[in-house]
Amino acid sequence: MHQNIGFRLSRLPRQWRAIIDRRLAPLGLTQTRWITLYHLWRLGDGQPQCDLARAIGVEAPSLVRTLDQLSEQGLIERCPCDQDRRTKRVFLTQAATPLLEKIDDVVNQARREMLAGLSEDEIRQLDALLEHIENNGLAIQARESDG
């Protein structure tokens, strides 16, 4: 049974994103675009590009192409940081707001459907267990990068 946990933990995010991707496809959004917009919206305007990349889990250079596309669509703006001119901060435009509201609706609906049949207590317990597993993983990474 324990052997299946890792496989389930790796399959679930892919399955979750696939459901959301399929539902957002009519809006012309690729996975990288909607995830970038959604993270920026949740993190707050003015995020440095490197922090946004870290939050999404991609390398900063990989994010640049997506940001270029979102900028061309008029959904974001990049501005130099006042403290460090080499750093670009990312801001959502007004045009992004209705799209983000649709993304949020789709994500929330998918979450409700994926968690259907679980009580609030079970969802809290699941969240706590996943946090515990994530913290164990972070501790392993820290130990292995120090050694």
Side-chain angles (χ1 to χ4, degrees):
M1 178 154 122
H2 292 6
Q3 293 92 352
N4 291 333
I5 291 173
F7 291 120
R8 285 183 198 273
L9 288 174
S10 68
R11 275 195 318 257
L12 273 173
R14 284 195 306 270
Q15 188 178 45
W16 192 292
R17 283 190 306 267
I19 290 166
I20 295 170
D21 286 348
R22 195 169 36 256
R23 293 176 181 186
L24 291 175
L27 300 176
L29 289 171
T30 63
Q31 186 176 109
T32 53
R33 289 183 195 176
W34 76 257
I35 286 176
T36 300
L37 286 171
Y38 200 67
H39 273 82
L40 182 58
W41 191 40
R42 291 293 178 204
L43 292 169
D45 254 353
Q47 290 298 312
Q49 281 183 198
C50 57
D51 290 354
L52 181 58
R54 198 172 305 116
I56 295 169
V58 299
E59 296 293 324
S62 301
L63 182 62
V64 171
R65 182 167 177 245
T66 301
L67 293 176
D68 287 343
Q69 294 166 342
L70 292 171
S71 182
E72 288 168 13
Q73 288 180 277
L75 299 173
I76 65 151
E77 292 178 346
R78 287 180 281 188
C79 302
C81 178
D82 293 337
Q83 293 83 14
D84 182 355
R85 305 294 277 172
R86 296 169 298 172
T87 300
K88 298 269 191 200
R89 293 192 176 272
V90 185
F91 295 87
L92 294 165
T93 65
Q94 291 290 336
T97 302
L99 188 58
L100 284 161
E101 289 169 353
K102 289 178 187 172
I103 293 169
D104 197 43
D105 288 343
V106 168
V107 168
N108 286 328
Q109 180 61 33
R111 182 181 302 116
R112 281 191 295 276
E113 291 177 53
M114 290 288 289
L115 297 175
L118 297 175
S119 70
E120 288 299 317
D121 283 342
E122 289 169 324
I123 293 169
R124 273 192 290 279
Q125 184 180 16
L126 173 62
D127 188 51
L129 292 169
L130 290 172
E131 180 182 21
H132 185 90
I133 293 168
E134 182 178 20
N135 288 338
N136 287 345
L138 291 170
I140 292 167
Q141 286 178 321
R143 272 195 321 267
E144 290 180 356
S145 68
D146 290 343

